[in-house]
Amino acid sequence: MYNALLSENLPRVRESIHQAAQRSGREGRDVTLVAVTKAHPLDAVRAVLSAGIRDVGENRLWELEEKVQALGRDVVQWHMVGHIQSRKAKQAVALAHLVHSVDSEKLARRLSRFALEAETRIPVLIQVNVAEEESKSGFLPHEAVDSIHRLLELQGLEVRGLMTMAPLVDDEGLLRSVFSGLRKIHEAAQGLPGYRGRELSMGMTNDFEMAVEEGSTMVRIGTALLGERPR
């Protein structure tokens, strides 16, 4: 089932990424495709790997843990793209190659603490709630640069860039303002000592082409690749 879906959907998604990247003066290879397998079984991850994708995202730590235990940590670049409770920071450090969703200083400090205890640094993206939606977590735009500055001091973190989630709307102007807003925060952060972030994780199934046009380097795609999630 999943192999058939990917054989049909993956070329279309890659071509859309390529075309959007060209419109922004880049190449498709400049954008990492993260296949989000939330709620899909192990067969979906195996199919993703067979299709040549090595970046796999999960929204829930318990599900990430199940898949890492079944498939191993080294054959996949595991991305934690969903909210993490600070009490589960140690688990995130042990499982994820990249945490997209550092949405508070409390979580950042706990991730750093457990990474240092494990004698490593955890690669992270700092989540900014650009649209200032009450239903979403993340640093607010007006505080983001100052917060990034403080988080750069945490020795257990390797800050690789920023992440945002756009509202689920059809308003192209609003969506573009969110994506361009994150890019502007990223550009402002370039002046901070020690900030070497290169990644802008923005864009999902409904809006990834606009996100790439506005500078995304990493898109998180589930439904467009694997179909609707099983109930």
Side-chain angles (χ1 to χ4, degrees):
M1 168 186 162
Y2 288 108
N3 287 315
L5 279 170
L6 284 165
S7 67
E8 179 179 349
N9 294 337
L10 180 56
R12 184 163 53 231
V13 169
R14 287 204 186 279
E15 179 60 20
S16 295
I17 291 171
H18 174 72
Q19 295 292 338
Q22 287 201 322
R23 290 193 292 273
S24 69
R26 298 179 295 154
E27 298 294 332
R29 63 176 176 268
D30 297 329
V31 181
T32 300
L33 171 59
V34 180
V36 178
T37 56
K38 173 185 176 181
H40 290 282
L42 281 172
D43 283 349
V45 185
R46 293 189 179 101
V48 162
L49 296 177
S50 295
I53 300 173
R54 287 294 176 269
D55 293 271
V56 177
E58 286 295 336
N59 286 66
R60 298 175 290 207
L61 270 175
W62 66 264
E63 198 170 352
L64 175 62
E65 183 173 34
E66 284 185 355
K67 290 172 180 174
V68 169
Q69 288 177 347
L71 298 173
R73 192 169 182 271
D74 297 333
V75 298
V76 179
Q77 284 291 305
W78 295 103
H79 297 246
M80 181 58 197
V81 301
H83 174 69
I84 301 171
Q85 295 174 309
S86 58
R87 64 186 176 87
K88 296 185 177 180
K90 185 175 184 178
Q91 188 180 9
V93 169
L95 295 170
H97 292 102
L98 178 63
V99 174
H100 289 233
S101 47
V102 176
D103 57 7
S104 70
E105 289 196 33
K106 180 180 180 182
L107 174 61
R109 292 184 184 282
R110 287 183 66 81
L111 288 168
S112 176
R113 171 191 156 193
F114 289 119
L116 290 173
E117 286 181 4
E119 299 183 341
T120 188
R121 298 178 75 204
I122 177 72
V124 302
L125 305 178
I126 296 171
Q127 182 173 344
V128 183
N129 184 1
V130 179
E132 301 190 40
E133 292 183 273
E134 291 185 4
S135 62
K136 290 190 174 73
S137 57
F139 296 93
L140 295 176
H142 68 272
E143 66 185 17
V145 174
D146 287 341
S147 297
I148 293 166
H149 195 184
R150 289 192 294 274
L151 267 52
L152 288 171
E153 297 175 354
L154 299 176
Q155 296 300 305
L157 300 187
E158 180 186 325
V159 179
R160 291 193 178 176
L162 310 179
M163 180 272 248
T164 198
M165 297 173 64
L168 291 173
V169 298
D170 294 326
D171 185 337
E172 180 175 339
L174 175 58
L175 294 173
R176 288 190 182 278
S177 72
V178 169
F179 298 140
S180 63
L182 188 71
R183 187 186 69 244
K184 290 171 184 173
I185 292 168
H186 174 67
E187 291 167 353
Q190 298 293 331
L192 296 174
Y195 183 73
R196 299 180 181 85
R198 301 174 63 90
E199 304 292 354
L200 286 177
S201 171
M202 55 188 194
M204 299 188 291
T205 287
N206 295 329
D207 53 27
F208 70 90
E209 292 173 78
M210 278 183 279
V212 173
E213 289 171 357
E214 295 296 337
S216 175
T217 67
M218 193 171 281
V219 292
R220 313 178 300 271
I221 309 294
T223 304
L225 289 174
L226 300 169
E228 295 293 335
R229 291 192 295 268
R231 291 185 179 275

